[in-house]
Amino acid sequence: MRRWLNWRSALIGGALGAALVVVFSLGASAGIGNGSLAAPTGSDSQTGQQLNPTHWKVQAGDTITDTIVGADDAVPGGGPCASTEVLVTIQSGSFGNQQLCGTLSGGTITFTWTVQSQFGVCGTTIVSYNATGNLANNGLLKSGGHSAAGLAIVDAQGDVIQTCIPESNARALTVSKAAAGAYTKTWTWTIVKSVDHDRINTSASTATFNYTVSVHHDEGTISNVKVTGTISITNPNADAVNIDVINDKLSTGDACTVTDGGPQSIASGVTTFAYECDLSSVPAGDVSNTVTISWP
């Protein structure tokens, strides 16, 4: 089996699309956890500043990356997350819980969060991890601290936004995807055995025969050429959003099959779909793989 993986993604407004390039070549109880919430990073100036001994600031409208370090009690899986990811929840009494999926390396959980601007976010939050809701502690906000830690949503002046402005319309879905190309190559082998003499002199007491075995194969036959992966749709709204269809297609013109990709209701959080594309041969160059999602 030959495999390849090299991709990049892009988001398209309106009906939503994401494109990638495929190159053919243990459980714990809820409470204060062992993991400490580190300062978040982002592109806005207020993100990453300390508000108080239990909260870091994140500026509304920023996309932040944060880590929970020392989380040796992290348990992958739970909620919308894959078995290799850790469920991270931004807990808020004002705008509801936001479920995210973080990556785990050693005892460090890394997650990203796009903080809505203008609508729907305000006040302070508590960050937890695992399906059991282990609360990240404030050991990196206060020396020796072991209280629940979280993120405070602030404006450009660094002041906590006190009132959540209600939304008049649903926020747009976002999409990301993973892709991998693979194919099978089969060779036909031939084995030929030859000997340097085909007769024996019966008058001699001994005779020597030298045999040669030659092994060759053909150029091989390629089959089972596929592109497979997952499509992850994120619904940032508290309520479900009804979608019309999920379409996935290669730039070669080959359509892909999305498992359960028909009209349906997408719940809040992340929903993942598997897809597969079958090709007649390995393309000569890069192939673009694009998914499109539309909703009323």
Side-chain angles (χ1 to χ4, degrees), residues 182-242:
Y183 62 87
T184 300
K185 191 169 186 178
T186 305
W187 290 270
T188 299
W189 295 79
T190 58
I191 301 177
V192 178
K193 180 180 180 182
S194 61
V195 65
D196 58 350
H197 299 294
D198 60 0
R199 295 183 181 185
I200 184 172
N201 185 350
T202 58
S203 64
S205 59
T206 61
T208 301
F209 297 86
N210 296 307
Y211 288 93
T212 301
V213 178
S214 300
V215 181
H216 304 278
H217 65 76
D218 62 6
E219 294 182 354
T221 301
I222 292 176
S223 62
N224 198 32
V225 183
K226 295 179 180 293
V227 174
T228 59
T230 56
I231 298 166
S232 297
I233 302 174
T234 300
N235 176 10
N237 304 285
D239 296 322
V241 173
N242 295 327

Side-chain angles (χ1 to χ4, degrees), residues 43-67:
S43 58
D44 294 335
S45 60
Q46 294 298 330
T47 295
Q49 303 297 319
Q50 184 170 346
L51 175 69
N52 54 36
T54 56
H55 288 84
W56 299 104
K57 294 180 181 181
V58 291
Q59 189 168 331
D62 200 2
T63 295
I64 65 107
T65 298
D66 206 348
T67 58

Side-chain angles (χ1 to χ4, degrees), residues 56 84 119:
W56 299 104
T84 57
F119 301 109

